[in-house]
């Protein structure tokens, strides 16, 4: 993580600019009931058209400046340049730095790696769509993509090294029909059109016997899968875990419609890394295929994250509760407050899905409220949390 340590001095005056980097504001942490807390500042920066925050905090008897994790931008050079510009503007005496930016490194080629915003706003294809959840080494996904060049595959994975490895194969083999996304499969399907997908593969999901709430399969997941599947489309589970097999079949046999097929030790054309491991151990492999039998209504994704009313920051900073709110389908937690001036500041929040909450800042500027770096991803959990937040901030 790039950072610079320098001798204590006073924060720079904002707004100002240095070497093309704009420093828009500085916000000081507001110590609500936290005695002895060290002072921390957030610096609002714009560099190369990207808005982000830097964190300034005490380190021993000195000051350290680094990127704020929640608002991190890429490539990292944008941040390094901003750190260097800050210490120059502050005329600081630098004690340590790992931000030398002599050779700007090229980002690895990521044409087929898409962020979730792409699926929220831009994804549209006339091709048949198939999805693989938790593709791991990518053996099965790559096999499917090469065998079915006319199908558009979407690979979901939350483990970054696996994604990078799979994308290397995509490049080496000139595969053009896989889009990879680093996102939790349980939340992803909300952004896919109803009746548009022909297959969803879930091969060897983590069984999570001790933390069942982390499992990919749940009633909600199955219902979302059925919504996005076309008639006769399939949700295909392959697992070595007898417990997971039993858990999933019990969920599936409670559905009002659908056709279920079960196989034991069925041979597929390709064997994944995990499958090889379990076969060597002589374990049984179970397949449970659910076939969709009905058409679903199209859903419209609500993307309204506005705050209609103005907010009095001077009142909110002293009155807002920092207790977590956990309600049906969402969480909301005020993590911290930073003051730009009497009437303006930042509120750091964690909110959204209980299983995968996100962190985000809101900015209150002379009464006007907005999300820093733009609105959250419009998942139903984020929208519910937003409504709660609006209720708290904008009540009369
Ligand atoms: C046991 S591995 C199986 C990998 C691969 N399917 C195979 O058969 O070799 C499970 C994979 O699912 C991924 N995973 C777990 N939970 C996930 C989720 N909620 N969304 C997307 N991927 C997930 C993990 O990172 C891991 O790579």
């Amino acid at each position: 993580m790039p950072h610079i340590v320098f001798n204590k001095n006073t924060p720079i005056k904002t707004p100002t600019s240095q070497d093309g980097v704009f420093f828009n504001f500085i916000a000081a942490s507001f110590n609500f009931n936290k005695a002895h807390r060290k002072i921390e500042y957030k610096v609002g920066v714009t560099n190369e058209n990207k808005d982000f925050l830097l964190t300034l905090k005490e380190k021993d008897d000195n000051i350290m400046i680094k990127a704020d994790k929640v608002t991190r931008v890429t490539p990292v050079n944008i941040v390094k340049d901003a750190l260097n510009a800050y210490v120059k503007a502050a005329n600081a005496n630098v004690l340590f730095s790992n931000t030398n930016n002599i050779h700007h490194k090229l980002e690895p080629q990521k044409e087929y790696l898409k962020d979730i915003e792409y699926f929220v706003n831009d994804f549209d294809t006339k091709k048949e769509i198939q999805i693989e959840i938790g593709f791991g080494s990518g053996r099965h996904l790559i096999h499917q993509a090469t065998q079915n060049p006319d199908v558009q595959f979407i690979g979901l994975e939350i483990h970054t090294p696996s994604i990078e490895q799979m994308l290397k194969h995509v490049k080496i083999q000139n595969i053009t029909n896989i889009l990879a996304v680093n996102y939790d499969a349980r939340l992803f399907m909300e952004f896919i059109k109803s009746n548009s997908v022909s297959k969803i593969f879930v091969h060897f999901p983590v069984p999570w016997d001790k933390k069942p709430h982390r499992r990919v399969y749940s009633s909600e997941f199955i219902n979302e899968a059925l919504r996005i599947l076309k008639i006769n489309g399939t949700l295909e589970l392959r697992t070595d875990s007898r417990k997971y097999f039993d858990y999933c079949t019990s969920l599936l046999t409670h559905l009002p419609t659908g056709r279920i097929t079960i196989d034991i030790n069925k041979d597929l054309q390709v064997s994944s890394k995990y499958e090889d491991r379990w076969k060597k151990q002589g374990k049984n492999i179970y397949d449970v295929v659910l076939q969709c039998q009905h058409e679903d209504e199209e859903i419209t994704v609500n993307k309204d994250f506005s705050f209609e009313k103005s907010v009095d920051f001077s009142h909110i900073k002293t009155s807002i509760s920092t207790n977590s709110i956990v309600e049906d389908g969402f969480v909301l937690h005020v993590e911290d407050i930073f003051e730009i001036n009497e009437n303006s500041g930042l509120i750091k929040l964690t909110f959204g899905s209980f299983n995968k909450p996100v962190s985000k800042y809101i900015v209150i500027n002379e009464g006007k409220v907005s999300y820093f770096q733009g609105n959250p991803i419009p998942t139903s959990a984020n929208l519910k949390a937003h409504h709660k937040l609006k209720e708290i901030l904008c009540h009369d």
Side-chain angles (χ1 to χ4, degrees):
M1 161 84 91
H3 63 281
I4 301 177
V5 180
F6 55 92
N7 279 348
K8 237 181 205 169
N9 68 5
T10 43
I12 60 171
K13 293 257 171 299
T14 55
T16 186
S17 71
Q18 175 75 50
D19 299 339
V21 180
F22 293 89
F23 297 102
N24 307 315
F25 59 79
I26 294 207
S29 61
F30 186 77
N31 290 338
F32 43 88
N33 307 327
K34 289 184 187 168
H36 313 303
R37 219 176 72 158
K38 284 185 179 171
I39 190 85
E40 183 178 324
Y41 296 97
K42 297 290 172 189
V43 187
V45 180
T46 309
N47 189 19
E48 298 195 18
N49 289 326
K50 293 194 179 178
D51 293 326
F52 54 99
L53 298 173
L54 300 177
T55 301
L56 266 178
K57 60 184 335 174
E58 288 178 6
K59 184 177 169 30
D60 307 324
D61 288 334
N62 303 307
I63 304 280
M64 176 162 73
I65 187 162
K66 58 182 183 173
D68 168 77
K69 278 190 198 137
V70 170
T71 63
R72 207 182 276 170
V73 288
T74 55
V76 71
N77 295 319
I78 292 181
V79 176
K80 285 185 177 179
D81 288 341
L83 295 172
N84 290 329
Y86 181 90
V87 290
K88 198 163 163 193
N91 209 6
N93 182 19
V94 173
L95 304 170
F96 172 85
S97 169
N98 61 1
T99 60
N100 285 336
N101 246 352
I102 300 159
H103 300 294
H104 281 216
K105 261 204 289 178
L106 274 176
E107 284 280 285
Q109 205 251 43
K110 287 185 176 161
E111 192 184 345
Y112 296 108
L113 177 62
K114 297 291 179 194
D115 51 27
I116 188 66
E117 282 83 0
Y118 172 79
F119 289 96
V120 176
N121 301 314
D122 304 315
F123 177 66
D124 195 17
T125 180
K126 299 237 167 341
K127 288 184 176 175
E128 178 184 337
I129 302 170
Q130 298 190 14
I131 298 178
E132 176 154 352
I133 290 175
F135 56 74
S137 69
R139 242 192 248 174
H140 177 262
L141 181 59
I142 285 171
H143 171 82
Q144 289 292 341
T146 46
Q147 295 301 302
N148 303 286
D150 295 334
V151 174
Q152 176 62 62
F153 286 87
I154 301 173
L156 298 170
E157 187 38 81
I158 51 173
H159 183 236
T160 308
S162 297
I163 297 175
E164 284 172 357
Q165 163 148 359
M166 197 279 294
L167 288 173
K168 266 191 209 154
H169 287 283
V170 162
K171 200 171 175 187
I172 294 165
Q173 298 182 44
N174 273 327
I175 295 169
T176 56
N177 58 336
I178 295 181
L179 294 174
V181 52
N182 186 339
Y183 204 70
D184 191 317
R186 293 169 298 175
L187 307 175
F188 175 80
M189 293 190 294
E190 285 195 32
F191 306 116
I192 299 293
K193 278 190 197 152
S194 302
N195 318 302
S196 66
V197 174
S198 57
K199 278 185 187 183
I200 305 170
F201 301 103
V202 189
H203 285 187
F204 302 96
V206 184
W208 291 118
D209 287 340
K210 296 209 172 101
K211 292 182 182 166
H213 67 279
R214 297 188 68 172
R215 287 176 177 156
V216 169
Y217 268 67
S218 65
S219 302
E220 296 78 36
F221 170 81
I222 294 167
N223 287 333
E224 268 302 271
L226 283 173
R227 181 186 64 75
I228 68 170
L229 281 172
K230 294 175 169 180
I231 289 191
N232 295 331
T234 48
L235 169 64
E236 307 196 0
L237 170 73
R238 191 162 169 85
T239 180
D240 58 291
S241 161
R242 177 72 209 205
K243 271 192 187 161
Y244 203 83
F245 165 81
D246 288 341
Y247 160 77
C248 291
T249 41
S250 111
L251 289 177
L252 296 172
T253 44
H254 281 90
L255 289 172
T257 67
R259 180 175 299 149
I260 301 163
T261 319
I262 292 175
D263 277 286
I264 301 179
N265 295 327
K266 182 168 82 175
D267 266 333
L268 296 188
Q269 280 179 330
V270 63
S271 179
S272 79
K273 206 165 131 188
Y274 275 84
E275 182 163 347
D276 282 352
R277 187 186 294 174
W278 307 134
K279 277 183 178 158
K280 267 188 206 140
Q281 292 178 16
K283 285 179 112 181
N284 284 329
I285 308 282
Y286 305 95
D287 281 280
V288 188
V289 175
L290 170 68
Q291 192 179 52
C292 174
Q293 303 283 290
H294 69 280
E295 200 168 295
D296 268 271
E297 276 179 22
E298 204 45 73
I299 52 156
T300 45
V301 179
N302 179 357
K303 297 182 187 172
D304 183 8
F305 281 98
S306 60
F307 295 89
E308 288 105 25
K309 291 188 187 166
S310 72
V311 170
D312 177 359
F313 180 72
S314 60
H315 170 66
I316 283 292
K317 72 185 177 195
T318 51
S319 62
I320 199 163
S321 163
T322 55
N323 295 335
S324 293
I325 299 170
V326 183
E327 284 184 20
D328 186 27
F330 75 93
V331 289
L332 173 64
H333 179 208
V334 172
E335 300 253 359
D336 218 337
I337 298 183
F338 296 88
E339 190 175 48
I340 299 171
N341 60 40
E342 184 60 21
N343 299 318
S344 308
L346 299 169
I347 300 181
K348 185 178 177 185
L349 305 163
T350 302
F351 69 93
S353 146
F354 187 71
N355 292 327
K356 195 176 184 287
V358 288
S359 292
K360 197 94 184 133
Y361 287 90
I362 54 166
V363 193
I364 303 176
N365 188 3
E366 304 290 340
K368 265 185 74 186
V369 197
S370 59
Y371 285 94
F372 189 74
Q373 288 184 325
N375 289 340
I377 301 294
T379 61
S380 48
N382 287 354
L383 278 154
K384 281 183 191 166
H386 170 75
H387 283 293
K388 187 73 192 180
L389 180 65
K390 213 158 74 168
E391 217 177 280
I392 295 168
L393 294 180
C394 305
H395 72 283
D396 292 316

